[in-house]
Coordinates of all heavy atoms in Angstrom, one line a residue:
T1 N 54.6 77.6 147.9 CA 53.5 77.9 147.1 C 53.1 76.7 146.2 O 54.0 75.8 145.9 CB 53.8 79.1 146.2 OG1 54.8 78.8 145.2 CG2 54.3 80.3 147.0
I2 N 51.9 76.7 145.7 CA 51.5 75.7 144.8 C 52.3 75.7 143.5 O 52.6 74.6 142.9 CB 50.0 75.8 144.5 CG1 49.5 74.5 143.9 CG2 49.7 77.0 143.5 CD1 49.5 73.3 144.9
Q3 N 52.8 76.8 143.0 CA 53.6 76.9 141.8 C 55.0 76.2 142.1 O 55.5 75.5 141.2 CB 53.8 78.4 141.4 CG 52.6 79.0 140.9 CD 51.6 79.4 141.9 OE1 51.9 79.6 143.1 NE2 50.3 79.7 141.5
E4 N 55.5 76.4 143.2 CA 56.8 75.7 143.6 C 56.6 74.2 143.7 O 57.4 73.4 143.2 CB 57.3 76.2 144.9 CG 57.8 77.6 145.0 CD 58.2 78.0 146.4 OE1 57.4 78.3 147.2 OE2 59.5 78.1 146.6
R5 N 55.5 73.8 144.3 CA 55.3 72.4 144.6 C 55.1 71.6 143.4 O 55.4 70.4 143.4 CB 54.1 72.3 145.6 CG 54.4 72.8 147.0 CD 53.1 73.1 147.8 NE 52.1 72.0 147.6 CZ 50.9 72.1 148.1 NH1 50.4 73.2 148.6 NH2 50.0 71.1 147.9
V6 N 54.5 72.1 142.3 CA 54.1 71.3 141.1 C 55.3 71.2 140.2 O 55.3 70.3 139.3 CB 52.9 71.9 140.4 CG1 53.2 73.1 139.6 CG2 52.2 70.8 139.6
R7 N 56.3 72.0 140.3 CA 57.4 72.0 139.3 C 58.1 70.7 139.0 O 58.3 70.3 137.8 CB 58.4 73.1 139.7 CG 57.9 74.5 139.5 CD 59.0 75.5 139.9 NE 60.2 75.4 139.0 CZ 61.4 75.8 139.3 NH1 61.7 76.3 140.5 NH2 62.4 75.7 138.4
P8 N 58.5 69.9 140.0 CA 59.1 68.6 139.7 C 58.3 67.7 138.9 O 58.7 67.1 137.9 CB 59.5 68.1 141.1 CG 59.6 69.3 142.0 CD 58.5 70.2 141.5
A9 N 57.0 67.6 139.3 CA 56.1 66.7 138.5 C 55.8 67.2 137.1 O 55.8 66.4 136.2 CB 54.8 66.5 139.3
A10 N 55.7 68.5 137.0 CA 55.5 69.1 135.6 C 56.7 68.9 134.8 O 56.6 68.7 133.6 CB 55.2 70.6 135.8
T11 N 57.9 69.0 135.4 CA 59.2 68.9 134.6 C 59.5 67.4 134.2 O 59.9 67.2 133.1 CB 60.3 69.5 135.5 OG1 60.0 70.8 135.7 CG2 61.6 69.4 134.7
F12 N 59.3 66.5 135.2 CA 59.8 65.2 135.0 C 58.8 64.1 134.6 O 59.1 63.0 134.3 CB 60.6 64.7 136.2 CG 61.8 65.5 136.5 CD1 61.8 66.4 137.7 CD2 62.9 65.5 135.7 CE1 62.9 67.2 137.9 CE2 64.0 66.3 136.0 CZ 64.1 67.1 137.1
K13 N 57.5 64.5 134.6 CA 56.4 63.7 134.1 C 56.5 62.3 134.7 O 56.5 61.3 133.9 CB 56.5 63.6 132.6 CG 56.4 65.0 131.9 CD 56.6 64.9 130.4 CE 56.5 66.2 129.7 NZ 57.4 67.3 130.2
P14 N 56.5 62.1 136.0 CA 56.6 60.8 136.6 C 55.4 59.9 136.3 O 54.3 60.4 135.9 CB 56.7 61.1 138.1 CG 55.9 62.3 138.2 CD 56.2 63.1 137.0
E15 N 55.5 58.6 136.6 CA 54.4 57.7 136.6 C 53.3 58.1 137.6 O 52.1 58.0 137.3 CB 54.8 56.3 136.8 CG 55.7 55.7 135.7 CD 56.0 54.2 135.9 OE1 55.1 53.4 135.6 OE2 57.1 53.9 136.4
V16 N 53.8 58.5 138.8 CA 52.9 58.9 139.9 C 53.4 60.1 140.5 O 54.6 60.4 140.6 CB 52.8 57.8 140.9 CG1 51.8 58.1 142.1 CG2 52.5 56.4 140.4
A17 N 52.4 61.0 140.9 CA 52.8 62.2 141.8 C 51.8 62.2 142.9 O 50.6 61.8 142.8 CB 52.7 63.4 141.0
S18 N 52.2 62.7 144.1 CA 51.3 62.8 145.2 C 50.4 64.0 145.0 O 50.8 65.0 144.3 CB 52.1 62.9 146.5 OG 52.8 64.1 146.6
L19 N 49.2 64.0 145.6 CA 48.3 65.2 145.5 C 47.5 65.2 146.8 O 46.8 64.3 147.1 CB 47.4 65.1 144.3 CG 46.4 66.2 144.1 CD1 47.1 67.5 144.0 CD2 45.6 65.9 142.8
N20 N 47.7 66.3 147.5 CA 47.0 66.5 148.8 C 45.6 67.1 148.5 O 45.4 68.0 147.7 CB 47.8 67.5 149.7 CG 49.1 66.9 150.0 OD1 50.0 67.0 149.2 ND2 49.3 66.4 151.2
L21 N 44.6 66.5 149.1 CA 43.2 66.8 148.8 C 42.5 67.8 149.7 O 41.2 67.8 149.6 CB 42.4 65.5 148.7 CG 42.3 64.8 147.4 CD1 41.5 65.7 146.4 CD2 43.7 64.5 146.7
G22 N 43.2 68.5 150.5 CA 42.5 69.5 151.2 C 43.4 70.4 152.1 O 44.5 69.9 152.5
S23 N 43.0 71.6 152.4 CA 43.7 72.5 153.3 C 43.6 72.0 154.7 O 42.5 71.4 155.1 CB 43.3 73.9 153.2 OG 43.4 74.4 151.8
M24 N 44.6 72.2 155.6 CA 44.5 71.8 156.9 C 45.6 72.5 157.8 O 46.6 73.0 157.3 CB 44.8 70.3 157.0 CG 46.2 69.9 156.4 SD 46.5 68.1 156.4 CE 46.6 67.7 158.1
N25 N 45.3 72.6 159.1 CA 46.3 73.0 160.1 C 47.4 71.9 160.0 O 47.1 70.7 159.9 CB 45.7 73.1 161.5 CG 44.8 74.2 161.6 OD1 45.0 75.3 161.0 ND2 43.7 74.1 162.4
F26 N 48.6 72.4 160.2 CA 49.8 71.4 160.0 C 50.7 71.7 161.3 O 51.4 72.6 161.3 CB 50.5 71.7 158.7 CG 51.3 70.6 158.2 CD1 50.7 69.6 157.5 CD2 52.6 70.5 158.4 CE1 51.4 68.5 156.9 CE2 53.4 69.4 157.9 CZ 52.8 68.4 157.2
G27 N 50.6 70.8 162.3 CA 51.2 71.0 163.5 C 52.4 70.1 163.7 O 52.2 68.9 163.9
L28 N 53.6 70.6 163.7 CA 54.8 69.8 163.9 C 55.4 70.2 165.3 O 56.4 69.6 165.7 CB 55.9 70.1 162.8 CG 55.4 69.8 161.4 CD1 56.5 70.1 160.4 CD2 55.0 68.3 161.2
F29 N 54.8 71.2 166.0 CA 55.5 71.7 167.2 C 55.6 70.7 168.3 O 56.5 70.9 169.2 CB 54.6 72.9 167.7 CG 53.2 72.7 167.7 CD1 52.5 72.1 168.7 CD2 52.4 73.1 166.6 CE1 51.2 71.9 168.7 CE2 51.0 72.9 166.6 CZ 50.4 72.3 167.6
G30 N 54.8 69.7 168.3 CA 55.0 68.6 169.3 C 56.3 67.9 169.3 O 56.8 67.4 170.3
M31 N 57.0 68.0 168.1 CA 58.3 67.3 168.0 C 59.3 68.0 168.8 O 60.4 67.4 169.2 CB 58.7 67.3 166.6 CG 57.8 66.4 165.7 SD 58.5 66.3 164.0 CE 57.3 65.2 163.2
L32 N 59.1 69.3 169.1 CA 60.1 70.0 169.9 C 60.2 69.5 171.4 O 61.2 69.7 172.0 CB 59.8 71.5 169.9 CG 60.0 72.3 168.6 CD1 59.6 73.7 168.7 CD2 61.5 72.2 168.2
N33 N 59.2 68.8 171.8 CA 59.2 68.2 173.1 C 60.2 67.0 173.2 O 60.7 66.7 174.2 CB 57.8 67.7 173.6 CG 56.9 68.9 173.7 OD1 57.2 70.0 174.1 ND2 55.6 68.7 173.3
R34 N 60.4 66.4 172.0 CA 61.2 65.2 172.0 C 62.6 65.5 171.4 O 63.6 64.8 171.7 CB 60.6 64.1 171.1 CG 59.2 63.7 171.6 CD 58.7 62.5 170.9 NE 58.5 62.7 169.4 CZ 57.4 63.2 168.9 NH1 56.5 63.6 169.7 NH2 57.3 63.3 167.6
F35 N 62.7 66.5 170.5 CA 64.0 66.8 169.8 C 64.4 68.2 170.2 O 63.9 69.2 169.7 CB 63.9 66.6 168.3 CG 63.5 65.3 167.9 CD1 62.1 65.0 167.6 CD2 64.4 64.2 167.8 CE1 61.8 63.7 167.2 CE2 64.0 63.0 167.4 CZ 62.7 62.7 167.0
K36 N 65.3 68.3 171.2 CA 65.7 69.6 171.7 C 67.0 70.1 171.1 O 67.3 71.3 171.1 CB 65.7 69.6 173.2 CG 64.3 69.2 173.8 CD 64.4 69.2 175.3 CE 63.0 68.8 175.9 NZ 61.9 69.6 175.5
D37 N 67.9 69.2 170.7 CA 69.2 69.6 170.3 C 69.2 69.7 168.7 O 69.5 68.7 168.0 CB 70.2 68.5 170.7 CG 71.6 68.9 170.4 OD1 71.9 70.1 170.1 OD2 72.5 68.0 170.4
L38 N 68.8 70.8 168.2 CA 68.7 71.0 166.8 C 69.9 71.8 166.3 O 70.3 72.8 166.8 CB 67.4 71.8 166.5 CG 66.1 71.1 166.9 CD1 64.9 72.0 166.6 CD2 65.9 69.8 166.3
K39 N 70.5 71.4 165.2 CA 71.7 72.0 164.7 C 71.5 73.2 163.9 O 72.4 74.0 163.8 CB 72.4 70.9 163.8 CG 72.9 69.7 164.5 CD 73.6 68.7 163.6 CE 72.6 68.0 162.7 NZ 73.3 66.9 161.9
H40 N 70.3 73.3 163.3 CA 70.0 74.4 162.4 C 68.9 75.3 162.9 O 67.9 74.8 163.3 CB 69.7 74.0 160.9 CG 70.7 73.0 160.3 ND1 71.9 73.5 159.9 CD2 70.7 71.7 160.2 CE1 72.6 72.5 159.4 NE2 71.9 71.4 159.6
Q41 N 69.0 76.6 162.8 CA 67.9 77.5 163.2 C 66.7 77.3 162.4 O 65.6 77.4 163.0 CB 68.4 79.0 163.1 CG 67.4 79.9 163.7 CD 67.0 79.7 165.1 OE1 67.9 79.5 166.0 NE2 65.7 79.8 165.5
W42 N 66.8 76.9 161.1 CA 65.6 76.7 160.3 C 64.7 75.6 160.9 O 63.5 75.7 160.8 CB 65.9 76.5 158.8 CG 66.4 75.1 158.5 CD1 67.7 74.6 158.4 CD2 65.6 73.9 158.3 NE1 67.7 73.3 158.1 CE2 66.4 72.8 158.0 CE3 64.2 73.7 158.2 CZ2 66.0 71.5 157.7 CZ3 63.7 72.4 157.9 CH2 64.6 71.3 157.7
E43 N 65.4 74.6 161.5 CA 64.6 73.5 162.1 C 63.7 74.0 163.2 O 62.5 73.6 163.3 CB 65.6 72.4 162.6 CG 66.4 71.7 161.5 CD 67.4 70.8 162.1 OE1 68.5 71.2 162.7 OE2 67.2 69.6 162.0
R44 N 64.3 74.8 164.1 CA 63.5 75.3 165.2 C 62.4 76.2 164.8 O 61.3 76.1 165.3 CB 64.5 76.0 166.2 CG 63.8 76.4 167.5 CD 64.9 76.8 168.5 NE 65.9 75.8 168.8 CZ 65.7 74.8 169.6 NH1 64.5 74.6 170.2 NH2 66.6 73.9 169.8
D45 N 62.7 77.1 163.8 CA 61.7 78.0 163.3 C 60.5 77.2 162.6 O 59.3 77.5 162.8 CB 62.3 78.9 162.3 CG 63.3 79.9 162.9 OD1 63.2 80.1 164.1 OD2 64.1 80.4 162.2

């Protein structure tokens, strides 16, 4: 969530923080074609 994402920058007041400027589809599924031996179930999910 956005509330989770902003917490480190709000807490530590860095010189710079990243900021994404738009919503988008986010596709990582192509990596499963190259990386098949995953140690953790969370990675596959």
Side-chain angles (χ1 to χ4, degrees):
T1 67
I2 197 68
Q3 290 77 19
E4 291 176 284
R5 287 162 47 190
V6 77
R7 286 180 66 203
T11 301
F12 296 111
K13 305 174 176 58
E15 294 184 78
V16 183
S18 68
L19 180 55
N20 299 76
L21 264 295
S23 300
M24 59 185 291
N25 290 325
F26 204 83
L28 304 176
F29 45 85
M31 293 184 180
L32 290 176
N33 296 326
R34 302 191 299 276
F35 300 99
K36 301 182 184 298
D37 186 19
L38 301 176
K39 294 180 289 188
H40 305 285
Q41 184 59 43
W42 79 263
E43 297 175 285
R44 190 169 300 280
D45 295 340

